Amino acid sequence: MSTSLMARLGELDLPDRLAPAVPRWATQVAVALLCAAGVEIVRAGVNAIVPGSAAFALVFPAIMVATLFARWQAGLLTATISICYTLFIIYLPAAATRTVVNPHLAVFAVGIAALLTIALAETFRRAVNRATRERDSEIADRDLMLTEFEHRVKNNFAIVAGMLDIQRRRTGDPAAAEALGAAMMRVDSIARAHRHLYRDGQGSEVNVRDYLEDLCGALSDALLLRGGVTLDCDADAATIQRDHAVSIGLVLNELVTNAAKHAFEGRERGSIHVSWKRRDDGWRLTVADDGVGMPPGKKPARRDGGLGQRLIEAFAKQAGGTLSTVSDANGTQVTMDLPD
C-alpha cells in the first residue's frame, strides 16, 4: 500500500465524520462487524482455491483497516471477533482431526501480533490526523494573511488613483488632465488584475475571461462610451500568470483608449470589439474598431503622439506577445499573439 493511500486512509476518521448523526461507538461497532465479515468472505474464497490455508492470516489486514477508519476501539473489536470466530469455528475443529500447534500458544501469538498491528495503525492514524490539523491551520493562517494583504493592496491602489484624480481635477492644463486620466485607468487595470487574482483563488493565476470582461466594462464607463459608440468583449476561458494578465490588461487599456479617442473623429456612431481567443499555438488578443482608419503613410497605432504606442510595445514584450496592425478606411484592427 503506497504512502499517499495510507495517508488518505488515515485522514478518513469515520466516527468524527458521521457524528453527531451517528454515535461514535455505533460507527466503530459497525466498522468492526463489516471488517470481520469481510475476513470470513475473503477466507471462504481463499479456501475454495487453497483449502486449509493459514487460518489467522487474513485477520491482520482487517484489523489495520478498522483501526485506520474507526480508531483503535474498532480494531480491537475486529480482532476479538475474528480471532474468536477463527479459533472456535475453524482452528479447534481442525485440531481435533489432525495434529496442529498448541491452540493456546497460537492464540497468544496471534493476539500479540494483533495488538502490535492495532498500535502501529493507531499511531499512524494519529500522526496523519495531527499533520492534517497542522496543515489546515497553516492554510487558514495563509488565507488570513492573503486577505489582509489583498485589503492593503486594494487600499494602496485606491490611494494612488485618488491622488491622480485630485491632481487631474486641480490642473488647468487639458493635456495634463488627459495624461493623469490615462494614468488613472492604467492603475485601475492593474488593480483589477490583482482583485481577480485573489477573488478567483487560483494562487498566482488570473481568470482572463472574467478579468477582460470586467476591464472592458470599466473602460466603457470611464471613456463615456454611450449609445453611438459601443464596446463589447468576447473572451474564451483561460487562466494565466498574474504578471502576464496585468500586461495584457494594460495593452487592452491602451488600445481601447486610443480607439475611443481617435477612431471616430467626425462620427457619432461606431463600435469597438475586443476578443480573446484560443489558437493552435497560443492565444490572440484582438482590438478592432470600425472607425475612420489610419491616414495613409502614417505608422499604425501612433494615434497619441507615440507614448501610447511605446507603452503598448513595452507591455506586449513583457507579456511575450507579438503585435500586428491592419488599418484601412473600414477601421483598424490590432492583434497580439501570445504563445502557450
Side-chain angles (χ1 to χ4, degrees), residues 247-285:
S247 298
I248 292 168
L250 289 169
V251 169
L252 172 63
N253 180 87
E254 297 298 325
L255 292 174
V256 171
T257 301
N258 284 350
K261 289 181 178 179
H262 305 288
F264 308 105
E265 294 178 358
R267 295 176 49 177
E268 295 183 355
R269 305 185 66 83
S271 63
I272 304 171
H273 177 70
V274 174
S275 72
W276 169 261
K277 293 297 179 181
R278 179 73 183 176
R279 304 177 67 217
D280 293 338
D281 56 349
W283 293 90
R284 169 170 287 181
L285 173 70

PDB file of all heavy atoms in Angstrom, residues 247-285:
ATOM      1  N   SER A 247      -0.039  42.677 -17.929  1.00  0.00           N
ATOM      2  CA  SER A 247       0.467  43.237 -19.190  1.00  0.00           C
ATOM      3  C   SER A 247      -0.605  43.211 -20.276  1.00  0.00           C
ATOM      4  O   SER A 247      -0.772  44.188 -21.020  1.00  0.00           O
ATOM      5  CB  SER A 247       1.699  42.441 -19.650  1.00  0.00           C
ATOM      6  OG  SER A 247       2.745  42.530 -18.700  1.00  0.00           O
ATOM      7  N   ILE A 248      -1.357  42.122 -20.356  1.00  0.00           N
ATOM      8  CA  ILE A 248      -2.433  42.028 -21.348  1.00  0.00           C
ATOM      9  C   ILE A 248      -3.500  43.080 -21.077  1.00  0.00           C
ATOM     10  O   ILE A 248      -3.999  43.746 -21.993  1.00  0.00           O
ATOM     11  CB  ILE A 248      -3.034  40.601 -21.336  1.00  0.00           C
ATOM     12  CG1 ILE A 248      -2.012  39.592 -21.866  1.00  0.00           C
ATOM     13  CG2 ILE A 248      -4.319  40.546 -22.174  1.00  0.00           C
ATOM     14  CD1 ILE A 248      -2.404  38.155 -21.619  1.00  0.00           C
ATOM     15  N   GLY A 249      -3.839  43.253 -19.805  1.00  0.00           N
ATOM     16  CA  GLY A 249      -4.832  44.264 -19.465  1.00  0.00           C
ATOM     17  C   GLY A 249      -4.367  45.666 -19.805  1.00  0.00           C
ATOM     18  O   GLY A 249      -5.161  46.501 -20.267  1.00  0.00           O
ATOM     19  N   LEU A 250      -3.086  45.952 -19.612  1.00  0.00           N
ATOM     20  CA  LEU A 250      -2.566  47.278 -19.941  1.00  0.00           C
ATOM     21  C   LEU A 250      -2.544  47.503 -21.450  1.00  0.00           C
ATOM     22  O   LEU A 250      -2.819  48.614 -21.925  1.00  0.00           O
ATOM     23  CB  LEU A 250      -1.170  47.440 -19.348  1.00  0.00           C
ATOM     24  CG  LEU A 250      -1.130  47.563 -17.815  1.00  0.00           C
ATOM     25  CD1 LEU A 250       0.294  47.457 -17.303  1.00  0.00           C
ATOM     26  CD2 LEU A 250      -1.764  48.867 -17.368  1.00  0.00           C
ATOM     27  N   VAL A 251      -2.201  46.456 -22.222  1.00  0.00           N
ATOM     28  CA  VAL A 251      -2.273  46.578 -23.688  1.00  0.00           C
ATOM     29  C   VAL A 251      -3.707  46.864 -24.119  1.00  0.00           C
ATOM     30  O   VAL A 251      -3.973  47.755 -24.937  1.00  0.00           O
ATOM     31  CB  VAL A 251      -1.755  45.284 -24.358  1.00  0.00           C
ATOM     32  CG1 VAL A 251      -2.070  45.301 -25.860  1.00  0.00           C
ATOM     33  CG2 VAL A 251      -0.254  45.146 -24.151  1.00  0.00           C
ATOM     34  N   LEU A 252      -4.658  46.104 -23.556  1.00  0.00           N
ATOM     35  CA  LEU A 252      -6.062  46.324 -23.875  1.00  0.00           C
ATOM     36  C   LEU A 252      -6.490  47.736 -23.510  1.00  0.00           C
ATOM     37  O   LEU A 252      -7.196  48.415 -24.276  1.00  0.00           O
ATOM     38  CB  LEU A 252      -6.915  45.295 -23.132  1.00  0.00           C
ATOM     39  CG  LEU A 252      -8.432  45.474 -23.200  1.00  0.00           C
ATOM     40  CD1 LEU A 252      -8.915  45.350 -24.635  1.00  0.00           C
ATOM     41  CD2 LEU A 252      -9.132  44.456 -22.320  1.00  0.00           C
ATOM     42  N   ASN A 253      -6.076  48.199 -22.349  1.00  0.00           N
ATOM     43  CA  ASN A 253      -6.418  49.546 -21.894  1.00  0.00           C
ATOM     44  C   ASN A 253      -5.945  50.600 -22.902  1.00  0.00           C
ATOM     45  O   ASN A 253      -6.706  51.505 -23.284  1.00  0.00           O
ATOM     46  CB  ASN A 253      -5.781  49.795 -20.529  1.00  0.00           C
ATOM     47  CG  ASN A 253      -6.092  51.176 -19.980  1.00  0.00           C
ATOM     48  OD1 ASN A 253      -7.100  51.378 -19.335  1.00  0.00           O
ATOM     49  ND2 ASN A 253      -5.206  52.126 -20.228  1.00  0.00           N
ATOM     50  N   GLU A 254      -4.694  50.493 -23.345  1.00  0.00           N
ATOM     51  CA  GLU A 254      -4.147  51.471 -24.282  1.00  0.00           C
ATOM     52  C   GLU A 254      -4.847  51.412 -25.629  1.00  0.00           C
ATOM     53  O   GLU A 254      -5.185  52.451 -26.229  1.00  0.00           O
ATOM     54  CB  GLU A 254      -2.642  51.237 -24.455  1.00  0.00           C
ATOM     55  CG  GLU A 254      -1.828  51.434 -23.199  1.00  0.00           C
ATOM     56  CD  GLU A 254      -1.901  52.851 -22.666  1.00  0.00           C
ATOM     57  OE1 GLU A 254      -1.975  53.809 -23.475  1.00  0.00           O
ATOM     58  OE2 GLU A 254      -1.908  53.016 -21.429  1.00  0.00           O
ATOM     59  N   LEU A 255      -5.092  50.194 -26.141  1.00  0.00           N
ATOM     60  CA  LEU A 255      -5.696  50.056 -27.466  1.00  0.00           C
ATOM     61  C   LEU A 255      -7.133  50.577 -27.475  1.00  0.00           C
ATOM     62  O   LEU A 255      -7.547  51.282 -28.414  1.00  0.00           O
ATOM     63  CB  LEU A 255      -5.657  48.593 -27.915  1.00  0.00           C
ATOM     64  CG  LEU A 255      -4.266  48.015 -28.210  1.00  0.00           C
ATOM     65  CD1 LEU A 255      -4.368  46.526 -28.506  1.00  0.00           C
ATOM     66  CD2 LEU A 255      -3.606  48.749 -29.380  1.00  0.00           C
ATOM     67  N   VAL A 256      -7.899  50.229 -26.460  1.00  0.00           N
ATOM     68  CA  VAL A 256      -9.293  50.693 -26.407  1.00  0.00           C
ATOM     69  C   VAL A 256      -9.342  52.205 -26.218  1.00  0.00           C
ATOM     70  O   VAL A 256     -10.166  52.901 -26.843  1.00  0.00           O
ATOM     71  CB  VAL A 256     -10.058  49.966 -25.282  1.00  0.00           C
ATOM     72  CG1 VAL A 256     -11.430  50.589 -25.083  1.00  0.00           C
ATOM     73  CG2 VAL A 256     -10.207  48.485 -25.615  1.00  0.00           C
ATOM     74  N   THR A 257      -8.470  52.737 -25.367  1.00  0.00           N
ATOM     75  CA  THR A 257      -8.436  54.189 -25.151  1.00  0.00           C
ATOM     76  C   THR A 257      -8.100  54.922 -26.450  1.00  0.00           C
ATOM     77  O   THR A 257      -8.741  55.925 -26.806  1.00  0.00           O
ATOM     78  CB  THR A 257      -7.405  54.537 -24.067  1.00  0.00           C
ATOM     79  OG1 THR A 257      -7.761  53.877 -22.851  1.00  0.00           O
ATOM     80  CG2 THR A 257      -7.378  56.042 -23.823  1.00  0.00           C
ATOM     81  N   ASN A 258      -7.091  54.420 -27.173  1.00  0.00           N
ATOM     82  CA  ASN A 258      -6.724  55.044 -28.455  1.00  0.00           C
ATOM     83  C   ASN A 258      -7.881  55.009 -29.443  1.00  0.00           C
ATOM     84  O   ASN A 258      -8.176  55.993 -30.128  1.00  0.00           O
ATOM     85  CB  ASN A 258      -5.507  54.337 -29.052  1.00  0.00           C
ATOM     86  CG  ASN A 258      -4.214  54.730 -28.358  1.00  0.00           C
ATOM     87  OD1 ASN A 258      -4.187  55.649 -27.561  1.00  0.00           O
ATOM     88  ND2 ASN A 258      -3.156  54.002 -28.659  1.00  0.00           N
ATOM     89  N   ALA A 259      -8.542  53.847 -29.519  1.00  0.00           N
ATOM     90  CA  ALA A 259      -9.656  53.713 -30.456  1.00  0.00           C
ATOM     91  C   ALA A 259     -10.794  54.662 -30.087  1.00  0.00           C
ATOM     92  O   ALA A 259     -11.385  55.321 -30.955  1.00  0.00           O
ATOM     93  CB  ALA A 259     -10.149  52.268 -30.479  1.00  0.00           C
ATOM     94  N   ALA A 260     -11.114  54.745 -28.788  1.00  0.00           N
ATOM     95  CA  ALA A 260     -12.213  55.609 -28.361  1.00  0.00           C
ATOM     96  C   ALA A 260     -11.922  57.074 -28.652  1.00  0.00           C
ATOM     97  O   ALA A 260     -12.832  57.846 -28.984  1.00  0.00           O
ATOM     98  CB  ALA A 260     -12.481  55.402 -26.871  1.00  0.00           C
ATOM     99  N   LYS A 261     -10.665  57.467 -28.543  1.00  0.00           N
ATOM    100  CA  LYS A 261     -10.310  58.876 -28.721  1.00  0.00           C
ATOM    101  C   LYS A 261     -10.143  59.271 -30.186  1.00  0.00           C
ATOM    102  O   LYS A 261     -10.430  60.416 -30.562  1.00  0.00           O
ATOM    103  CB  LYS A 261      -9.015  59.178 -27.964  1.00  0.00           C
ATOM    104  CG  LYS A 261      -9.178  59.181 -26.458  1.00  0.00           C
ATOM    105  CD  LYS A 261      -7.852  59.524 -25.787  1.00  0.00           C
ATOM    106  CE  LYS A 261      -8.003  59.570 -24.274  1.00  0.00           C
ATOM    107  NZ  LYS A 261      -6.720  59.878 -23.595  1.00  0.00           N
ATOM    108  N   HIS A 262      -9.652  58.350 -31.014  1.00  0.00           N
ATOM    109  CA  HIS A 262      -9.217  58.760 -32.348  1.00  0.00           C
ATOM    110  C   HIS A 262      -9.926  58.061 -33.507  1.00  0.00           C
ATOM    111  O   HIS A 262      -9.846  58.536 -34.639  1.00  0.00           O
ATOM    112  CB  HIS A 262      -7.712  58.520 -32.491  1.00  0.00           C
ATOM    113  CG  HIS A 262      -6.891  59.190 -31.428  1.00  0.00           C
ATOM    114  ND1 HIS A 262      -6.694  60.556 -31.393  1.00  0.00           N
ATOM    115  CD2 HIS A 262      -6.232  58.684 -30.344  1.00  0.00           C
ATOM    116  CE1 HIS A 262      -5.935  60.860 -30.356  1.00  0.00           C
ATOM    117  NE2 HIS A 262      -5.640  59.740 -29.695  1.00  0.00           N
ATOM    118  N   ALA A 263     -10.575  56.932 -33.247  1.00  0.00           N
ATOM    119  CA  ALA A 263     -11.110  56.162 -34.369  1.00  0.00           C
ATOM    120  C   ALA A 263     -12.381  56.752 -34.959  1.00  0.00           C
ATOM    121  O   ALA A 263     -12.721  56.463 -36.112  1.00  0.00           O
ATOM    122  CB  ALA A 263     -11.375  54.715 -33.938  1.00  0.00           C
ATOM    123  N   PHE A 264     -13.096  57.561 -34.181  1.00  0.00           N
ATOM    124  CA  PHE A 264     -14.414  58.002 -34.628  1.00  0.00           C
ATOM    125  C   PHE A 264     -14.501  59.525 -34.771  1.00  0.00           C
ATOM    126  O   PHE A 264     -15.552  60.113 -34.521  1.00  0.00           O
ATOM    127  CB  PHE A 264     -15.483  57.487 -33.660  1.00  0.00           C
ATOM    128  CG  PHE A 264     -15.393  56.009 -33.423  1.00  0.00           C
ATOM    129  CD1 PHE A 264     -14.886  55.521 -32.224  1.00  0.00           C
ATOM    130  CD2 PHE A 264     -15.772  55.112 -34.402  1.00  0.00           C
ATOM    131  CE1 PHE A 264     -14.789  54.163 -31.999  1.00  0.00           C
ATOM    132  CE2 PHE A 264     -15.672  53.744 -34.181  1.00  0.00           C
ATOM    133  CZ  PHE A 264     -15.176  53.259 -32.981  1.00  0.00           C
ATOM    134  N   GLU A 265     -13.400  60.143 -35.139  1.00  0.00           N
ATOM    135  CA  GLU A 265     -13.398  61.596 -35.340  1.00  0.00           C
ATOM    136  C   GLU A 265     -14.358  61.972 -36.465  1.00  0.00           C
ATOM    137  O   GLU A 265     -14.298  61.414 -37.559  1.00  0.00           O
ATOM    138  CB  GLU A 265     -11.978  62.069 -35.666  1.00  0.00           C
ATOM    139  CG  GLU A 265     -11.009  61.894 -34.505  1.00  0.00           C
ATOM    140  CD  GLU A 265      -9.605  62.335 -34.882  1.00  0.00           C
ATOM    141  OE1 GLU A 265      -9.413  62.734 -36.056  1.00  0.00           O
ATOM    142  OE2 GLU A 265      -8.709  62.267 -34.019  1.00  0.00           O
ATOM    143  N   GLY A 266     -15.261  62.894 -36.137  1.00  0.00           N
ATOM    144  CA  GLY A 266     -16.241  63.312 -37.125  1.00  0.00           C
ATOM    145  C   GLY A 266     -17.417  62.369 -37.269  1.00  0.00           C
ATOM    146  O   GLY A 266     -18.253  62.558 -38.158  1.00  0.00           O
ATOM    147  N   ARG A 267     -17.506  61.364 -36.424  1.00  0.00           N
ATOM    148  CA  ARG A 267     -18.610  60.394 -36.495  1.00  0.00           C
ATOM    149  C   ARG A 267     -19.285  60.291 -35.135  1.00  0.00           C
ATOM    150  O   ARG A 267     -18.648  60.462 -34.090  1.00  0.00           O
ATOM    151  CB  ARG A 267     -18.086  59.019 -36.920  1.00  0.00           C
ATOM    152  CG  ARG A 267     -17.513  58.996 -38.332  1.00  0.00           C
ATOM    153  CD  ARG A 267     -16.918  57.633 -38.673  1.00  0.00           C
ATOM    154  NE  ARG A 267     -17.828  56.545 -38.360  1.00  0.00           N
ATOM    155  CZ  ARG A 267     -17.552  55.247 -38.632  1.00  0.00           C
ATOM    156  NH1 ARG A 267     -16.391  54.925 -39.188  1.00  0.00           N
ATOM    157  NH2 ARG A 267     -18.413  54.319 -38.333  1.00  0.00           N
ATOM    158  N   GLU A 268     -20.558  59.976 -35.147  1.00  0.00           N
ATOM    159  CA  GLU A 268     -21.318  59.844 -33.904  1.00  0.00           C
ATOM    160  C   GLU A 268     -21.551  58.386 -33.516  1.00  0.00           C
ATOM    161  O   GLU A 268     -21.941  58.111 -32.388  1.00  0.00           O
ATOM    162  CB  GLU A 268     -22.678  60.552 -34.044  1.00  0.00           C
ATOM    163  CG  GLU A 268     -22.578  62.058 -34.214  1.00  0.00           C
ATOM    164  CD  GLU A 268     -23.943  62.700 -34.281  1.00  0.00           C
ATOM    165  OE1 GLU A 268     -24.955  61.946 -34.283  1.00  0.00           O
ATOM    166  OE2 GLU A 268     -24.004  63.943 -34.334  1.00  0.00           O
ATOM    167  N   ARG A 269     -21.321  57.478 -34.446  1.00  0.00           N
ATOM    168  CA  ARG A 269     -21.599  56.078 -34.172  1.00  0.00           C
ATOM    169  C   ARG A 269     -20.377  55.234 -34.514  1.00  0.00           C
ATOM    170  O   ARG A 269     -19.552  55.605 -35.355  1.00  0.00           O
ATOM    171  CB  ARG A 269     -22.819  55.579 -34.982  1.00  0.00           C
ATOM    172  CG  ARG A 269     -24.073  56.411 -34.775  1.00  0.00           C
ATOM    173  CD  ARG A 269     -25.255  55.786 -35.513  1.00  0.00           C
ATOM    174  NE  ARG A 269     -25.615  54.490 -34.954  1.00  0.00           N
ATOM    175  CZ  ARG A 269     -26.396  54.330 -33.885  1.00  0.00           C
ATOM    176  NH1 ARG A 269     -26.887  55.395 -33.254  1.00  0.00           N
ATOM    177  NH2 ARG A 269     -26.690  53.134 -33.448  1.00  0.00           N
ATOM    178  N   GLY A 270     -20.268  54.101 -33.869  1.00  0.00           N
ATOM    179  CA  GLY A 270     -19.166  53.195 -34.125  1.00  0.00           C
ATOM    180  C   GLY A 270     -19.127  52.086 -33.087  1.00  0.00           C
ATOM    181  O   GLY A 270     -19.913  52.077 -32.129  1.00  0.00           O
ATOM    182  N   SER A 271     -18.220  51.161 -33.260  1.00  0.00           N
ATOM    183  CA  SER A 271     -18.113  50.050 -32.313  1.00  0.00           C
ATOM    184  C   SER A 271     -16.656  49.632 -32.173  1.00  0.00           C
ATOM    185  O   SER A 271     -15.856  49.736 -33.108  1.00  0.00           O
ATOM    186  CB  SER A 271     -18.952  48.850 -32.774  1.00  0.00           C
ATOM    187  OG  SER A 271     -18.478  48.352 -34.014  1.00  0.00           O
ATOM    188  N   ILE A 272     -16.344  49.183 -30.971  1.00  0.00           N
ATOM    189  CA  ILE A 272     -15.026  48.625 -30.665  1.00  0.00           C
ATOM    190  C   ILE A 272     -15.258  47.198 -30.176  1.00  0.00           C
ATOM    191  O   ILE A 272     -16.085  46.970 -29.278  1.00  0.00           O
ATOM    192  CB  ILE A 272     -14.305  49.442 -29.581  1.00  0.00           C
ATOM    193  CG1 ILE A 272     -14.190  50.913 -29.997  1.00  0.00           C
ATOM    194  CG2 ILE A 272     -12.922  48.865 -29.303  1.00  0.00           C
ATOM    195  CD1 ILE A 272     -13.688  51.822 -28.884  1.00  0.00           C
ATOM    196  N   HIS A 273     -14.531  46.267 -30.768  1.00  0.00           N
ATOM    197  CA  HIS A 273     -14.721  44.852 -30.419  1.00  0.00           C
ATOM    198  C   HIS A 273     -13.413  44.301 -29.864  1.00  0.00           C
ATOM    199  O   HIS A 273     -12.357  44.419 -30.487  1.00  0.00           O
ATOM    200  CB  HIS A 273     -15.146  44.039 -31.641  1.00  0.00           C
ATOM    201  CG  HIS A 273     -15.292  42.578 -31.358  1.00  0.00           C
ATOM    202  ND1 HIS A 273     -16.310  42.072 -30.580  1.00  0.00           N
ATOM    203  CD2 HIS A 273     -14.530  41.519 -31.729  1.00  0.00           C
ATOM    204  CE1 HIS A 273     -16.171  40.752 -30.493  1.00  0.00           C
ATOM    205  NE2 HIS A 273     -15.105  40.394 -31.182  1.00  0.00           N
ATOM    206  N   VAL A 274     -13.491  43.697 -28.679  1.00  0.00           N
ATOM    207  CA  VAL A 274     -12.341  43.059 -28.036  1.00  0.00           C
ATOM    208  C   VAL A 274     -12.581  41.562 -28.016  1.00  0.00           C
ATOM    209  O   VAL A 274     -13.679  41.105 -27.653  1.00  0.00           O
ATOM    210  CB  VAL A 274     -12.155  43.579 -26.595  1.00  0.00           C
ATOM    211  CG1 VAL A 274     -11.048  42.804 -25.879  1.00  0.00           C
ATOM    212  CG2 VAL A 274     -11.845  45.069 -26.603  1.00  0.00           C
ATOM    213  N   SER A 275     -11.582  40.791 -28.405  1.00  0.00           N
ATOM    214  CA  SER A 275     -11.712  39.331 -28.348  1.00  0.00           C
ATOM    215  C   SER A 275     -10.429  38.720 -27.802  1.00  0.00           C
ATOM    216  O   SER A 275      -9.328  39.250 -28.017  1.00  0.00           O
ATOM    217  CB  SER A 275     -12.027  38.752 -29.728  1.00  0.00           C
ATOM    218  OG  SER A 275     -10.898  38.826 -30.582  1.00  0.00           O
ATOM    219  N   TRP A 276     -10.616  37.639 -27.086  1.00  0.00           N
ATOM    220  CA  TRP A 276      -9.509  36.848 -26.536  1.00  0.00           C
ATOM    221  C   TRP A 276      -9.800  35.400 -26.907  1.00  0.00           C
ATOM    222  O   TRP A 276     -10.712  34.789 -26.366  1.00  0.00           O
ATOM    223  CB  TRP A 276      -9.422  37.036 -25.024  1.00  0.00           C
ATOM    224  CG  TRP A 276      -8.511  36.085 -24.306  1.00  0.00           C
ATOM    225  CD1 TRP A 276      -8.866  34.961 -23.632  1.00  0.00           C
ATOM    226  CD2 TRP A 276      -7.085  36.183 -24.188  1.00  0.00           C
ATOM    227  NE1 TRP A 276      -7.768  34.353 -23.099  1.00  0.00           N
ATOM    228  CE2 TRP A 276      -6.656  35.078 -23.419  1.00  0.00           C
ATOM    229  CE3 TRP A 276      -6.143  37.087 -24.644  1.00  0.00           C
ATOM    230  CZ2 TRP A 276      -5.315  34.855 -23.109  1.00  0.00           C
ATOM    231  CZ3 TRP A 276      -4.804  36.874 -24.335  1.00  0.00           C
ATOM    232  CH2 TRP A 276      -4.401  35.774 -23.579  1.00  0.00           C
ATOM    233  N   LYS A 277      -9.039  34.854 -27.873  1.00  0.00           N
ATOM    234  CA  LYS A 277      -9.377  33.564 -28.453  1.00  0.00           C
ATOM    235  C   LYS A 277      -8.187  32.609 -28.437  1.00  0.00           C
ATOM    236  O   LYS A 277      -7.036  33.011 -28.585  1.00  0.00           O
ATOM    237  CB  LYS A 277      -9.866  33.738 -29.896  1.00  0.00           C
ATOM    238  CG  LYS A 277     -11.187  34.467 -30.001  1.00  0.00           C
ATOM    239  CD  LYS A 277     -12.317  33.695 -29.326  1.00  0.00           C
ATOM    240  CE  LYS A 277     -13.641  34.423 -29.389  1.00  0.00           C
ATOM    241  NZ  LYS A 277     -14.710  33.673 -28.708  1.00  0.00           N
ATOM    242  N   ARG A 278      -8.534  31.334 -28.302  1.00  0.00           N
ATOM    243  CA  ARG A 278      -7.543  30.266 -28.347  1.00  0.00           C
ATOM    244  C   ARG A 278      -7.108  30.000 -29.770  1.00  0.00           C
ATOM    245  O   ARG A 278      -7.933  29.977 -30.682  1.00  0.00           O
ATOM    246  CB  ARG A 278      -8.128  28.995 -27.735  1.00  0.00           C
ATOM    247  CG  ARG A 278      -7.203  27.802 -27.749  1.00  0.00           C
ATOM    248  CD  ARG A 278      -6.100  27.962 -26.746  1.00  0.00           C
ATOM    249  NE  ARG A 278      -5.156  26.856 -26.795  1.00  0.00           N
ATOM    250  CZ  ARG A 278      -4.050  26.793 -26.066  1.00  0.00           C
ATOM    251  NH1 ARG A 278      -3.764  27.777 -25.237  1.00  0.00           N
ATOM    252  NH2 ARG A 278      -3.232  25.776 -26.155  1.00  0.00           N
ATOM    253  N   ARG A 279      -5.817  29.812 -29.994  1.00  0.00           N
ATOM    254  CA  ARG A 279      -5.262  29.421 -31.281  1.00  0.00           C
ATOM    255  C   ARG A 279      -4.505  28.114 -31.105  1.00  0.00           C
ATOM    256  O   ARG A 279      -4.289  27.637 -29.993  1.00  0.00           O
ATOM    257  CB  ARG A 279      -4.328  30.507 -31.822  1.00  0.00           C
ATOM    258  CG  ARG A 279      -4.990  31.875 -31.946  1.00  0.00           C
ATOM    259  CD  ARG A 279      -3.982  32.903 -32.425  1.00  0.00           C
ATOM    260  NE  ARG A 279      -3.560  32.631 -33.788  1.00  0.00           N
ATOM    261  CZ  ARG A 279      -2.323  32.811 -34.253  1.00  0.00           C
ATOM    262  NH1 ARG A 279      -1.369  33.230 -33.434  1.00  0.00           N
ATOM    263  NH2 ARG A 279      -2.027  32.576 -35.508  1.00  0.00           N
ATOM    264  N   ASP A 280      -4.082  27.523 -32.241  1.00  0.00           N
ATOM    265  CA  ASP A 280      -3.364  26.251 -32.165  1.00  0.00           C
ATOM    266  C   ASP A 280      -2.072  26.360 -31.365  1.00  0.00           C
ATOM    267  O   ASP A 280      -1.689  25.421 -30.664  1.00  0.00           O
ATOM    268  CB  ASP A 280      -3.045  25.741 -33.574  1.00  0.00           C
ATOM    269  CG  ASP A 280      -4.305  25.357 -34.345  1.00  0.00           C
ATOM    270  OD1 ASP A 280      -5.322  25.084 -33.670  1.00  0.00           O
ATOM    271  OD2 ASP A 280      -4.268  25.345 -35.577  1.00  0.00           O
ATOM    272  N   ASP A 281      -1.405  27.500 -31.477  1.00  0.00           N
ATOM    273  CA  ASP A 281      -0.100  27.659 -30.829  1.00  0.00           C
ATOM    274  C   ASP A 281      -0.113  28.676 -29.693  1.00  0.00           C
ATOM    275  O   ASP A 281       0.941  29.148 -29.258  1.00  0.00           O
ATOM    276  CB  ASP A 281       0.955  28.068 -31.862  1.00  0.00           C
ATOM    277  CG  ASP A 281       0.561  29.346 -32.604  1.00  0.00           C
ATOM    278  OD1 ASP A 281      -0.598  29.779 -32.456  1.00  0.00           O
ATOM    279  OD2 ASP A 281       1.409  29.891 -33.331  1.00  0.00           O
ATOM    280  N   GLY A 282      -1.275  29.061 -29.222  1.00  0.00           N
ATOM    281  CA  GLY A 282      -1.319  30.022 -28.127  1.00  0.00           C
ATOM    282  C   GLY A 282      -2.627  30.772 -28.071  1.00  0.00           C
ATOM    283  O   GLY A 282      -3.700  30.212 -28.317  1.00  0.00           O
ATOM    284  N   TRP A 283      -2.548  32.074 -27.770  1.00  0.00           N
ATOM    285  CA  TRP A 283      -3.728  32.911 -27.600  1.00  0.00           C
ATOM    286  C   TRP A 283      -3.598  34.177 -28.430  1.00  0.00           C
ATOM    287  O   TRP A 283      -2.483  34.619 -28.737  1.00  0.00           O
ATOM    288  CB  TRP A 283      -3.901  33.295 -26.131  1.00  0.00           C
ATOM    289  CG  TRP A 283      -4.227  32.129 -25.263  1.00  0.00           C
ATOM    290  CD1 TRP A 283      -3.345  31.305 -24.619  1.00  0.00           C
ATOM    291  CD2 TRP A 283      -5.526  31.625 -24.955  1.00  0.00           C
ATOM    292  NE1 TRP A 283      -4.007  30.335 -23.932  1.00  0.00           N
ATOM    293  CE2 TRP A 283      -5.350  30.506 -24.124  1.00  0.00           C
ATOM    294  CE3 TRP A 283      -6.815  32.006 -25.310  1.00  0.00           C
ATOM    295  CZ2 TRP A 283      -6.417  29.776 -23.629  1.00  0.00           C
ATOM    296  CZ3 TRP A 283      -7.883  31.277 -24.813  1.00  0.00           C
ATOM    297  CH2 TRP A 283      -7.680  30.175 -23.984  1.00  0.00           C
ATOM    298  N   ARG A 284      -4.735  34.767 -28.784  1.00  0.00           N
ATOM    299  CA  ARG A 284      -4.736  36.010 -29.557  1.00  0.00           C
ATOM    300  C   ARG A 284      -5.684  37.020 -28.928  1.00  0.00           C
ATOM    301  O   ARG A 284      -6.868  36.731 -28.710  1.00  0.00           O
ATOM    302  CB  ARG A 284      -5.129  35.759 -31.006  1.00  0.00           C
ATOM    303  CG  ARG A 284      -5.407  37.050 -31.793  1.00  0.00           C
ATOM    304  CD  ARG A 284      -5.567  36.791 -33.275  1.00  0.00           C
ATOM    305  NE  ARG A 284      -4.279  36.480 -33.897  1.00  0.00           N
ATOM    306  CZ  ARG A 284      -4.125  36.235 -35.212  1.00  0.00           C
ATOM    307  NH1 ARG A 284      -5.193  36.250 -36.009  1.00  0.00           N
ATOM    308  NH2 ARG A 284      -2.931  35.961 -35.691  1.00  0.00           N
ATOM    309  N   LEU A 285      -5.148  38.208 -28.646  1.00  0.00           N
ATOM    310  CA  LEU A 285      -5.953  39.345 -28.199  1.00  0.00           C
ATOM    311  C   LEU A 285      -6.161  40.262 -29.395  1.00  0.00           C
ATOM    312  O   LEU A 285      -5.192  40.646 -30.058  1.00  0.00           O
ATOM    313  CB  LEU A 285      -5.243  40.106 -27.078  1.00  0.00           C
ATOM    314  CG  LEU A 285      -5.903  41.412 -26.621  1.00  0.00           C
ATOM    315  CD1 LEU A 285      -7.198  41.116 -25.874  1.00  0.00           C
ATOM    316  CD2 LEU A 285      -4.949  42.229 -25.750  1.00  0.00           C
TER     317      LEU A 285
END
